[in-house]
Amino acid sequence: MRETWVVGAASNRFGKMKESGREAATRVSMQAIRQSGLEPKDIGYTFVANCFGVAEHQAHVGPLINNGLGIPDVPSVTVESACSSSSAALHEAFVQVAGGFVDAALVVGAERLSHLDTLAATSYFAIAADYPFETHNGATFPGLYATLASAYRQKYPTRDEMFGAVAVKNHANAARNPHAHFQKEISMETYLASPVIASPLRLYDCCPFSDGAAAVVVAAKEFVKSPVAEPLVIRASARSGSVTDMQDRPDLLGLPATRTAAAKAFRQAKMEPKDIDFLEVHDCFTTAEVMALEDLGFFPKGTAAREEFEGTTARDGKLPVNASGGLKAKGHPVSATGASQVVEIFEQVNGLAKGREVPKTGTALAHNVGATGGSCSVHIFTRR
Ligand SMILES: CC(C)(COP(=O)(O)OP(=O)(O)OC[C@H]1O[C@@H](n2cnc3c(N)ncnc32)[C@H](O)[C@@H]1OP(=O)(O)O)[C@@H](O)C(=O)NCCC(=O)NCCS
């Protein structure tokens, strides 16, 4: 396999987009390509993530993005893996580049759903669960994650404030991130006073519905003669899956796909959790961040909530988690989320994360989950 780098990464501001998903995707792709020092003609393949294009009456956006970039003859494909779509697209790009099929590839994720109300958006999202068994019976993602949260809290006694600490931290980080949907801090009092959405999850435990677009350019080391930005070396690109339905899982205390993807990734990178300086994890709900840190192997089961509360995962803590604000506060435009985690890591490494810098940027991990864990990607990056 060839050593493969992330050489460019760009995101727009998450929240509400005036332009379409396709227009935003083209714009951030151009920014990421420019930043890489490459040209559109250097791209050998475009991997697109756009789960809910149908909500904009537009499928098959890859060729349209490539047309916009002036490279209509370049092949493209849309990768769908629910909320982990753009990290799945990154994995496919890595395989193509590391395997020598193309020298450089574009990964771009975009979503626009803000023209829908909460009920309609919730219904669209819910089709990523098991339709006949879960969705058809009224399950929604807040409901499904509340089931996981209830099981966790029953087994491991935790106080509301421990999850509140995740929300307060991620909002504080997002307040310093110009790409973030919510750029305002919240207090623990605000968290505790917020309404229950699906017990035990409150409003501030939940990620919002966001529009957004993010792009990443991946290239072979030997193809990039002189990188204009500090590249991220992809040391591991691992994916895993697991049983989707709650009723068929051996336990509800975490996500098996995270555990297996993490094990693969650490094996590929020849690293252990203690080697990672900072990470972006899939915190669609605050409880998901806590469970992810345990499933990824950073903390023993049942202990991560306390670590969050004690500040271990703060931006200036021992293990900074979601310095971007995470899905919780940076926002979660489903198909852009995985790519945007890489944008954050790229910006941290390149000194572009002004005002939200983490202390050490030698190694980083990105963790992105599809739905309630039917799929999962874990990527590990280092400096050259
Ligand atoms: C939590 C949720 C139900 C709130 O929806 P809602 O009650 O319809 O809220 P609205 O869109 O009417 O917004 C009301 C206010 O709350 C804010 N808000 C909405 N969701 C928020 C969130 N998750 N966190 C913080 N604030 C939020 C809005 O910005 C708005 O603020 P404003 O009055 O200052 O403008 C919705 O955001 C949700 O379902 N989130 C989860 C999305 C999801 O499941 N994603 C997939 C994960 S796997």
Side-chain angles (χ1 to χ4, degrees), residues 72-93:
D73 51 337
V74 168
S76 64
V77 68
T78 302
V79 178
E80 193 274 307
S81 182
C83 310
S84 69
S85 293
S86 53
S87 61
L90 174 61
H91 176 71
E92 297 306 321

Side-chain angles (χ1 to χ4, degrees), residues 16 83 117-119 121-122 125 140-143 145 171 181-182 184 186 195 197 202-209 282 284-285 327-329 332 334 369-372:
K16 281 194 198 317
C83 310
D117 61 21
T118 299
L119 178 60
T122 302
F125 277 35
T140 61
F141 279 110
Y145 271 92
H171 270 271
H181 184 156
F182 295 126
K184 65 165 196 218
I186 59 160
I197 299 295
R202 300 167 187 279
L203 176 69
Y204 285 105
D205 286 306
C206 306
C207 65
F209 291 109
H282 196 91
C284 49
F285 299 92
L327 285 64
K328 168 68 211 74
H332 183 28
V334 178
V369 173
T372 49

Side-chain angles (χ1 to χ4, degrees), residues 137-205:
N137 291 304
T140 61
F141 279 110
L144 292 167
Y145 271 92
T147 307
L148 294 168
S150 300
Y152 184 92
R153 295 191 65 166
Q154 205 166 17
K155 170 90 179 176
Y156 305 112
T158 32
R159 287 185 292 118
D160 287 358
E161 286 82 351
M162 293 183 177
F163 298 102
V166 178
V168 170
K169 165 180 73 74
N170 290 353
H171 270 271
N173 291 345
R176 292 160 179 77
N177 183 356
H179 304 308
H181 184 156
F182 295 126
Q183 297 184 10
K184 65 165 196 218
E185 303 204 10
I186 59 160
S187 65
M188 185 63 83
E189 291 67 38
T190 306
Y191 168 82
L192 292 171
S194 68
V196 171
I197 299 295
S199 177
L201 303 175
R202 300 167 187 279
L203 176 69
Y204 285 105
D205 286 306

Side-chain angles (χ1 to χ4, degrees), residues 305-348:
R306 177 165 296 282
E307 297 283 353
E308 300 263 23
F309 185 70
E310 288 174 355
T312 311
T313 55
R315 221 173 46 248
D316 56 355
K318 261 196 276 181
L319 183 70
V321 176
N322 285 333
S324 67
L327 285 64
K328 168 68 211 74
K330 181 186 60 182
H332 183 28
V334 178
S335 294
T337 291
S340 81
Q341 294 177 323
V342 183
V343 173
E344 173 65 16
I345 293 169
F346 189 84
E347 293 193 346
Q348 289 283 354

